[in-house]
Amino acid sequence: MKRASRHIICLIHALLSAFCLNGQTTDAVVAENDELLNRYELACRQCLDLKNQVNEGAHVSRKDASDVIDRFVSLNTLIKSSSEDLNPVQRTRFEAISRWFSTGERPLVLDHESLVRIIEETTLAASRNNIRIKVIPYNPAPMQEARTDERNTGLKTYILASVSLPQPSYGAMVGIRYGRWGGYARLGSNFRSQDHAYTCLGNGTIEGGGSIWSGGSEARSELKAGAGVLYGPADWFSIYAGMGYGRSELYWDDIDGNWVKVRDLSFKGPSFEAGVLASWKFLTLGAGVSTISFRRVSLDICLGVSF
């Protein structure tokens, strides 16, 4: 009898020890999951705060944005991989944080004072009606949007050389873009200036009477100066458009070696231009069109660096 009592007491002691050890292990897992969820909720708040700053036009460095977003994604992956260890309260909190990140609106369930009450009511309703609680899937779209906006918030500078065709002229273009918007200035010329002895018309008649005896040579002097706006829908791509002043003068020579300005084929006035710039690393290539008083159209090619 004593031996049987001794066995029973030992068995009860072993069972109590096992239950205590299991309870301690469960408490440790719950505490660890709560800590992970606290960090996950904090990372979600930081991501949304970062997105709001970008939308308001604040400058956020690429490194800071990448660190915050990568931390959120890593915690999301870690918690999903051990979701079977989450209790109902923790699982619902995880779903609510993911929904907060996707929609930008903080769910009521994240109010920790009412969390337990809401979970109990939800669990009770589900058990009565056999309703499955829907898990809100993780939506990476806000993260991608934050990355895209962040890429367009820095300062970008262009220094380019340009050539205009078919009448060759050469120049330079300098532009600065902060975020999506910026400005530029351009100057171009064929660096040719010609003195003339008198003027004539395109049909060869000389003002005051007579006609020119042409020597068969001609020259043109061109100058364009302008400025305008830059718009960048992407970090590597910009559109420019602007206006300024331009001058294009045509000269013929006569048989005496004098240069004659052809008045009706020479013009000056407002110039207009538009084009695009595309960058790859530090190299930038541009193409556009320009006109002087809508009487002469040129193709503009740019090549240079951006940083």
Side-chain angles (χ1 to χ4, degrees):
M1 185 68 178
K2 289 182 180 181
R3 180 175 298 178
S5 300
R6 223 180 274 122
H7 285 304
I8 293 172
I9 292 172
C10 290
L11 179 60
I12 293 173
H13 183 269
L15 291 173
L16 290 175
S17 299
F19 285 135
C20 290
L21 181 59
N22 181 68
Q24 292 175 357
T25 303
T26 302
D27 290 342
V29 171
V30 170
E32 182 179 350
N33 289 336
D34 283 338
E35 176 61 23
L36 281 176
L37 288 169
N38 290 338
R39 291 163 53 194
Y40 185 56
E41 183 173 346
L42 176 60
C44 177
R45 182 186 298 276
Q46 291 174 338
C47 286
L48 295 177
D49 289 345
L50 186 70
K51 181 182 176 183
N52 291 334
Q53 293 178 32
V54 171
N55 291 337
E56 292 171 1
H59 174 65
V60 179
S61 71
R62 182 174 303 180
K63 182 178 183 304
D64 291 344
S66 180
D67 288 346
V68 172
I69 294 172
D70 289 346
R71 188 182 311 122
F72 178 84
V73 174
S74 297
L75 287 169
N76 179 274
T77 303
L78 179 61
I79 296 173
K80 279 184 176 179
S81 66
S82 57
S83 59
E84 66 276 3
D85 295 332
L86 300 178
N87 60 35
V89 173
Q90 292 171 336
R91 187 174 296 108
T92 302
R93 184 183 174 193
F94 173 68
E95 296 165 5
I97 295 172
S98 299
R99 185 159 66 257
W100 183 21
F101 182 82
S102 301
T103 64
E105 297 182 3
R106 180 180 173 87
L108 178 63
V109 74
L110 291 179
D111 180 3
H112 291 187
E113 294 180 357
S114 59
L115 177 63
V116 174
R117 177 180 56 80
I118 293 174
I119 296 302
E120 289 175 349
E121 292 176 358
T122 304
T123 304
L124 179 61
S127 62
R128 287 176 177 176
N129 301 293
N130 195 26
I131 299 175
R132 296 183 62 188
I133 300 175
K134 182 180 179 181
V135 178
I136 305 300
Y138 167 65
N139 181 11
M143 178 186 70
Q144 297 298 331
E145 180 181 345
R147 288 184 181 269
T148 301
D149 289 342
E150 185 274 331
R151 285 197 296 268
N152 290 327
T153 57
L155 180 67
K156 195 175 187 69
T157 302
Y158 297 93
I159 301 177
L160 308 168
S162 66
V163 58
S164 298
L165 300 171
Q167 177 65 40
S169 63
Y170 310 92
M173 175 178 179
V174 177
I176 296 177
R177 199 187 88 191
Y178 184 79
R180 294 186 182 273
W181 292 96
Y184 77 94
R186 184 208 292 272
L187 178 65
S189 172
N190 65 351
F191 303 101
R192 185 165 189 172
S193 178
Q194 195 69 57
D195 294 329
H196 60 281
Y198 54 95
T199 62
C200 72
L201 298 178
N203 59 8
T205 59
I206 301 173
E207 294 181 352
S211 298
I212 181 176
W213 290 67
S214 176
S217 298
E218 69 175 39
R220 183 173 287 275
S221 174
E222 287 204 351
L223 173 69
K224 285 186 294 185
V229 296
L230 280 169
Y231 173 71
D235 182 64
W236 61 273
F237 182 76
S238 292
I239 302 169
Y240 70 85
M243 61 179 298
Y245 171 82
R247 170 176 55 81
S248 180
E249 297 175 341
L250 179 64
Y251 299 90
W252 291 340
D253 72 334
D254 61 15
I255 59 175
D256 295 324
N258 297 316
W259 285 102
V260 184
K261 181 178 178 179
V262 186
R263 186 167 57 86
D264 59 338
L265 298 181
S266 300
F267 44 88
K268 61 183 177 180
S271 65
F272 303 92
E273 59 187 6
V276 296
L277 301 174
S279 300
W280 181 73
K281 295 185 178 179
F282 291 102
L283 181 66
T284 296
L285 178 66
V289 293
S290 60
T291 179
I292 301 175
S293 298
F294 298 102
R295 295 185 60 183
R296 186 172 183 82
V297 178
S298 299
L299 172 65
D300 303 323
I301 305 297
C302 303
L303 181 64
V305 297
S306 60
F307 51 89

